[in-house]
Amino acid sequence: MKILHTSDWHLGRTLHKVDLHEHQAAFLDWLVELVRDEQVDVVVVPGDVYDRAVPAVSSVKLLDSALARLAATGATVVLTSGNHDSPERLGFGRSLMRSGIHLLTDVPGIEHPVSVTDEHGEVLFFGLPYLEPDRARTELVAAGEEPLARSHEAVTRAALDRVRERGAAHPHARTVVLAHTFVSGGEASDSERDLTVGGVDSVPAAVLGGIDYLALGHLHGCQDLTRAVGAPAWYSGSPLAFSFSERHHRKSVLMVELGAPGTAAQVRRIEAPVPRRLTELRGTLEEILARRDEHGGDWLKAVVTDPARPAHLQEQLREAYPHLLLTEYAPEGREAREGTPVVRREQNPLEVMDEFLAHVTGAAPTPAEHDVLDRAHSAVRRQQEAS
C-alpha cells in the first residue's frame, strides 16, 4: 500500500504579511499530480490544515478544491485537526463528505478507524486530533471517573491505549496513526505555536511505540523519529517555510510503502517545490547590496552591521531586493549600552535630541543632522510661544 504523508498546510497563513495563498495553491496542484502519477492509495494529513480556527473563505474553497481533486484520483484521504484549526469547524459536514474523504477531528473518532485493504489484508488508519490536555483529560475517561493528569503525555497515552485495544480486535491488521503533537526529540522552529501545559510541551517518544507507521504533524521540519519511538515515525513537515528559522529546511512530503504484516514500512522523501527561497544576509549595507544578483529574487532578511546607520537604509534595500521582508540593524564595533538613557528635566532639549540620535544610529549627529534638529526645535518653540 502506498501512503502519502503530508501535514501542516496552514492554509491562510502569511509570511511577514505576505499572502501565501498563491503558493499554497501551487503546492496543492503539485500534490494532486504527484498522487495521481504515483498511484497513491491513501493520503494522510495529521493536522493544521488551516492556519486559523475560523479560516477565510478563500482558504475553505482552496481546501474543498484540493479534496475534490484528490478524491478524483481514487485515493482515500484521511485528515485530522491540529492546534491551529478548529476541530468543530474542520469536521463540520463530514457526514456529507464525498466518498473517500475522512475527517477524524474528535475524541470519539479515535475508536473508529478508516479501514483500507490491499493484497496483504486490512490497514487501519487511526486519527488522533490535537489533544488539548485541559479538555481531553475528561473526554478520555468514562463518566464519573477522575480526570487524567493535566499533561500531553497522559492524554496521548490514554488515546493510544484505545487505539491498541481496537487494533487488538483485528489481529492481522496493520495500523497507521495520525497524531498532531510534539514528540520529545523533535526539532522545533520559530513558527510553531507553543503547546506548553504545566511547563511541559512534549510527549515522551516511548509512549508512541507499537504502530506500523506513525504519521506526525505539528513540527515544520521533515524529520525521522523512528529510533526514538522504536517504530517507523516521521514528521513530514510543512510544505512551505513560515519563518526564517526554516530557511535551511528541505520541504518534503513522504511516500510510505507498507508491505506484508511484520515487515518494516519503507519511507521515501520527495522534495516539494520551492516558490521562493528564504535568505538571510548579514554584513554592511554595501556588502549586502553587492549580492543582489545572487539573491535579488529571494525573500530576504537583511541584518545590517554598519557602525552608523546608513541613510535611506530601507529604500536602498527595497530597490535591490523587491521581496525584502525583514530588516535588522545590528551595528558592529559599538559598545553595548546598558539600560535606557535617562533624560534630566534641566537638560537642554536640543542636547537630548542629539543624544537620542546618537543612541539610535551609533554615531554623533553630523552638522547637517544637528542643524535639522535645531531648526525643528526652534519651530516648535516659536509655535508654543505664539499660542
Side-chain angles (χ1 to χ4, degrees):
M1 181 177 293
K2 272 191 172 183
I3 303 166
L4 190 138
H5 172 193
T6 174
S7 71
D8 294 271
W9 295 351
H10 287 278
L11 301 182
R13 185 100 178 211
T14 60
L15 177 65
H16 295 284
K17 299 183 180 180
V18 173
D19 187 355
L20 295 177
H21 181 90
E22 174 188 351
H23 303 301
Q24 291 173 325
F27 164 74
L28 291 173
D29 289 343
W30 172 83
L31 184 73
V32 171
E33 290 305 311
L34 178 66
V35 170
R36 180 179 292 112
D37 293 345
E38 290 272 355
Q39 298 183 328
V40 170
D41 298 297
V42 183
V43 177
V44 295
V45 190
D48 282 352
V49 177
Y50 293 130
D51 188 60
R52 298 194 300 271
V54 183
V57 171
S58 58
S59 299
V60 174
K61 290 182 176 179
L62 182 57
L63 177 61
D64 183 66
S65 170
L67 293 180
R69 289 180 292 151
L70 287 170
T73 68
T76 297
V77 183
V78 184
L79 299 90
T80 62
S81 53
N83 59 301
H84 276 255
D85 38 30
S86 161
E88 290 81 9
R89 287 183 171 85
L90 182 62
F92 177 77
R94 59 176 172 250
S95 62
L96 303 177
M97 273 286 175
R98 59 184 57 86
S99 175
I101 305 295
H102 303 270
L103 303 179
L104 308 180
T105 61
D106 57 19
V107 169
I110 293 172
E111 297 186 75
H112 300 282
V114 176
S115 177
V116 183
T117 59
D118 63 7
E119 66 270 27
H120 301 295
E122 187 178 29
V123 179
L124 300 177
F125 291 83
F126 292 90
L128 272 61
Y130 170 64
L131 299 171
E132 172 60 51
D134 286 333
R135 179 174 174 176
R137 63 195 293 253
T138 58
E139 294 178 320
L140 285 165
V141 296
E145 289 186 1
E146 284 292 316
L148 299 170
R150 184 174 175 264
S151 70
H152 291 288
E153 177 180 358
V155 297
T156 303
R157 187 185 297 276
L160 285 170
D161 284 345
R162 293 191 179 194
V163 167
R164 295 187 182 98
E165 183 179 351
R166 184 63 190 270
H170 301 255
H172 302 295
R174 291 151 290 166
T175 56
V176 173
V177 172
L178 290 67
H180 193 90
T181 190
F182 186 175
V183 179
S184 297
E187 184 176 340
S189 59
D190 291 344
S191 58
E192 297 112 6
R193 184 175 294 168
D194 183 30
L195 301 182
T196 302
V197 173
V200 179
D201 63 357
S202 61
V203 175
V207 171
L208 301 162
I211 307 297
D212 289 289
Y213 181 72
L214 186 66
L216 295 167
H218 178 61
L219 298 184
H220 292 171
C222 182
Q223 47 200 296
D224 179 8
L225 293 187
T226 298
R227 181 173 296 180
V229 171
W234 282 75
Y235 283 101
S236 67
S238 61
L240 299 176
F242 299 126
S243 72
F244 278 93
S245 67
E246 300 174 44
R247 66 188 183 277
H248 299 306
H249 286 183
R250 291 169 48 214
K251 296 301 184 182
S252 311
V253 298
L254 301 172
M255 191 66 70
V256 182
E257 295 197 34
L258 279 187
T263 61
Q266 301 299 310
V267 181
R268 172 167 52 103
R269 288 182 64 167
I270 300 175
E271 293 197 23
V274 178
R276 194 182 303 284
R277 291 185 305 178
L278 267 71
T279 297
E280 179 178 320
L281 297 180
R282 183 183 184 94
T284 64
L285 177 61
E286 182 181 0
E287 291 169 341
I288 291 174
L289 294 178
R291 303 184 67 181
R292 71 186 76 187
D293 290 343
E294 182 183 0
H295 297 291
D298 298 356
W299 279 316
L300 182 71
K301 176 181 178 181
V303 183
V304 181
T305 61
D306 295 73
R309 187 183 182 94
H312 309 294
L313 172 61
Q314 198 71 4
E315 292 84 349
Q316 292 189 71
L317 286 170
R318 183 72 65 186
E319 182 179 355
Y321 297 96
H323 303 290
L324 176 72
L325 297 183
L326 283 176
T327 303
E328 182 180 317
Y329 180 50
E332 293 181 352
R334 270 173 58 177
E335 293 184 6
R337 296 172 181 254
E338 295 184 3
T340 303
V342 176
V343 177
R344 301 183 305 278
R345 181 182 295 274
E346 64 272 15
Q347 273 186 284
N348 183 315
L350 188 57
E351 180 186 347
V352 173
M353 295 162 72
D354 282 343
E355 288 182 357
F356 175 76
L357 186 61
H359 175 74
V360 170
T361 65
T366 64
E369 290 170 336
H370 179 82
D371 183 57
V372 169
L373 294 175
D374 190 11
R375 284 187 281 114
H377 176 238
S378 297
V380 171
R381 283 187 60 186
R382 286 194 299 270
Q383 186 178 22
Q384 288 177 334
E385 291 169 356
S387 61

